[in-house]
Amino acid sequence: NLLLLLLLFLGFHKVFAVEDDKTLLARIIFAEAAGEFYSGKVAVGWVVRNRVESRKFPNTYWGVIFQRAQFSGVGSKLWKLTYQPEKMTLYQFSMWQDCLKIAQDVIENRIFDPTHGADHYYNPSLVSPSWAKKMESIITIGNHLFLKS
C-alpha cells in the first residue's frame, strides 16, 4: 500500500489511467479526418459512436477504436502526434482543439449525426474495400463515403 501511495504521489497513476472517451474519440477523429472540413470530422466521430451503440460492435469507445483492423489511423503519425501537442504546428494544434470539441459534442449528443447511422466509411479515391460491396451507401462527406452494415 505504501508503494502504491508513493507511485500515485509521484504521478505514476497516469501510466495506468484509462484514457477518457472524449480524448480517445478526438484522437481517432484527428488521425482519420484531420484534413477534412468540420462536417467530415463530425461524421467520423459519429461512425465511432454509432458502433458503440450497435450490438454488432464492442460497447465502449476503447473497444470500438482498438478493435483489430478497423481504423488505420490508430498508431499513425497523426495519432502519435496527439500525445505530444507541443510538437504540433499551430494549424495542427487548432485542428486538435477542434477534434476535442467535436468529440465532446458527439458523445453528449449536442450535434446532429450527418451520417444517418453509418457505421463504416472509407476514402474511395484511396481504396476500394471488398467489404463495402455488402453495405448500404448512405452519404459522401468530404473525401469519405459513409455506409451502414
Side-chain angles (χ1 to χ4, degrees), residues 1-10:
N1 283 347
L2 186 57
L3 178 60
L4 180 59
L5 286 173
L6 180 61
L7 288 173
L8 287 173
F9 176 75
L10 294 173

Side-chain angles (χ1 to χ4, degrees), residues 30-127:
F30 187 80
E32 296 272 329
E36 296 288 328
F37 290 112
Y38 177 83
S39 58
K41 291 178 179 76
V42 170
V44 167
W46 267 102
V47 164
V48 176
R49 179 177 167 171
N50 291 337
R51 286 185 178 202
V52 170
E53 294 178 352
S54 170
R55 291 184 178 158
K56 299 176 188 174
F57 299 94
N59 64 355
T60 65
Y61 285 90
W62 193 95
V64 165
I65 291 168
F66 288 107
Q67 188 175 19
R68 188 172 179 269
Q70 294 299 302
F71 295 99
S72 60
V74 173
S76 69
K77 183 178 177 182
L78 287 174
W79 174 275
K80 292 174 184 173
L81 190 58
T82 64
Y83 288 95
Q84 299 177 306
E86 70 279 1
K87 292 188 176 182
M88 293 178 180
T89 66
L90 188 57
Y91 179 68
Q92 289 169 327
F93 186 75
S94 176
M95 283 192 307
W96 172 235
Q97 295 305 303
D98 289 345
C99 291
L100 286 165
K101 173 78 169 91
I102 290 166
Q104 190 68 44
D105 288 347
V106 167
I107 289 169
E108 294 179 4
N109 202 28
R110 291 191 302 219
I111 194 166
F112 172 76
D113 176 5
T115 73
H116 306 284
D119 53 19
H120 286 78
Y121 63 88
Y122 70 96
N123 183 333
S125 66
L126 297 178
V127 293

